[in-house]
Each structure stands twice: as C-alpha cells, then as structure tokens.
C-alpha cells in the first residue's frame, strides 16, 4: 500500500505560467516532507522541504504548501522555466532518516 | 572530487551471476542508503547503514547483501541476479539527523540489466 501518492504521472505547462505538482499521503505520523527533482541519467537532487508544524515554505520560485487535515501537499513553481522540465518526487519521513517516496510526476515546460 | 559516486554506471549481467555495485562518498556522512527505482514505484529502500559496520534492511532487501567496513564505502551485492532485479540503483547519504531532517544526497545511479 503506497503511503505517498503522486497521482499525476505527467504535467505539461506553458513557460512563464505556474506549475502545481500534487502529493497525497496516508500516514498521519509523517513529520517532514521533501521534494526532489530528477533529470534523466542523474540522481535526484533536493529541492525544498517542509516540516509538519508549518503550512508553507518558500524558496525563490518554489513554494511548498502542506494541508495536514487533507494529508496533501503541493509544490508551486512560479514562473515555470524550460530548465524546470524534470521528474519531481515527493517524499515523507516520520521521526527517522527513512524516506517514503511517491512515484514521481514528469513536468514538461512548453516554450 | 568531493561528493557521492557510483560505479559502474551501466552494467549488463546474466541471471545467476553475482554483481557488486559500488558507492563512495567523501563527506563523511554517517548514513548511507541504497534504493532502486522502477517505473510506477518511485524509489524503494533496499538497505541502509547508520555507520560503519551497522546495516539494516529497508523495504525490499531480498536478494541483496550490503557491507560497510569503512564510512565512505557502501557496496551493494546481488548474490545471484534475477531478471526482477533489472532496475536503476541509487546510492545516497546524509548526516546524522539532528534537530531537523537532513536531506539525502544522491549518486548518479547505476543502470543494471539482468538478461
């Protein structure tokens, strides 16, 4: 049973517009959430994270929102750029170093 | 160069053969991890290590063996490779968790094909 779900395998967005990637989880014990970005033939790289005690974290063009009551988080990228085209993974942890990963969403930024 | 490296980057082997994937990090991170990435599953943890000589199973450990005699190295061995072990394997490392979660840093991956 997947504890972290990314229900959209792919997403296509026009350059300059907002990209919104979604992630749902089932385990209410998760206390930390992370987003990773992955280019082909490379390992995932850390993008942004949020603690469960917060509902928003912002870093430049990237903002993560956490809705604990809905067990939902989202990553907003504004404005979207061609270099943002990649696979985005949502991951979660509960009080330890182990991460539970979603299946990923492939983001395509159209020029 | 500093960072986390994996070797080989690509490997083709046959069913039943033993294969070892290497992972080396230069940060002296305490924790190291092995994941496999398969379509539709995201990353799944195979084994992890909290320090030298301390290893433990993750979500999908069957068919794999690890060792960690030195902090910087964490090899993953497939004792008798099967086709179901065809995958992309990622090694990662992180500092020991303190007051906040430390993100994991990943190597470039090894693409393994078992024929």
């Amino acid at each position: 049973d997947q504890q972290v779900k990314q229900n959209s395998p792919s997403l296509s967005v026009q350059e300059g517009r907002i990209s919104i990637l979604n992630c749902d989880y089932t385990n209410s014990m998760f206390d930390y959430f992370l987003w990773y970005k992955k280019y082909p033939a490379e390992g995932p790289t850390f993008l942004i994270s949020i603690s469960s005690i917060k509902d928003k974290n912002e870093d430049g063009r990237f903002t993560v929102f956490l809705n604990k009551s809905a067990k939902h988080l989202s990553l907003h990228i504004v404005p979207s750029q061609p270099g943002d085209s990649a696979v985005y993974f949502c991951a979660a942890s509960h009080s330890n170093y182990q991460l539970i990963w979603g299946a990923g969403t492939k983001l395509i930024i159209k020029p | 160069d500093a960072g986390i490296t994996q070797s080989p980057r690509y490997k083709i082997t046959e069913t039943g053969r033993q294969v070892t994937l290497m992972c080396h990090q230069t940060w002296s991170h305490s924790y190291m991890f092995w994941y496999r990435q398969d379509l539709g599953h995201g990353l799944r943890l195979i084994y992890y290590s909290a320090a030298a000589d301390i290893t433990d199973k993750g979500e999908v450990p069957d068919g794999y063996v690890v060792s960690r005699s030195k902090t910087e190295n964490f090899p993953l061995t497939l004792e008798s490779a099967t086709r179901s072990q065809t995958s992309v394997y990622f090694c990662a490392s992180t500092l020991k968790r303190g007051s906040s979660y430390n993100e994991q840093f990943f190597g470039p991956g090894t693409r393994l094909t078992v024929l």
Side-chain angles (χ1 to χ4, degrees), chain B residues 23-81:
Chain B
C23 179
H24 176 78
Q25 53 104 354
T26 60
W27 293 306
S28 298
H29 283 174
S30 301
Y31 285 89
M32 296 188 74
F33 310 84
W34 273 106
Y35 292 92
R36 59 178 291 172
Q37 183 195 3
D38 303 291
L39 207 60
H41 286 279
L43 277 72
R44 292 183 291 175
L45 183 65
I46 304 171
Y47 269 94
Y48 62 92
S49 169
D53 298 321
I54 301 175
T55 62
D56 209 344
K57 297 177 180 179
E59 182 186 353
V60 289
D62 293 343
Y64 303 95
V65 174
V66 293
S67 62
R68 195 166 176 207
S69 57
K70 293 183 179 181
T71 300
E72 61 267 29
N73 296 324
F74 191 37
L76 175 74
T77 298
L78 289 67
E79 293 189 299
S80 179

Side-chain angles (χ1 to χ4, degrees), chain B residues 77-113:
Chain B
T77 298
L78 289 67
E79 293 189 299
S80 179
T82 64
R83 290 185 178 179
S84 65
Q85 293 178 309
T86 292
S87 186
V88 181
Y89 291 84
F90 290 102
C91 179
S93 69
T94 192
L95 292 168
K96 181 175 181 177
R97 186 177 187 186
S99 58
S100 63
Y101 187 87
N102 293 301
E103 69 267 20
Q104 295 180 14
F105 298 87
F106 283 80
T110 295
R111 181 175 292 277
L112 176 67
T113 302

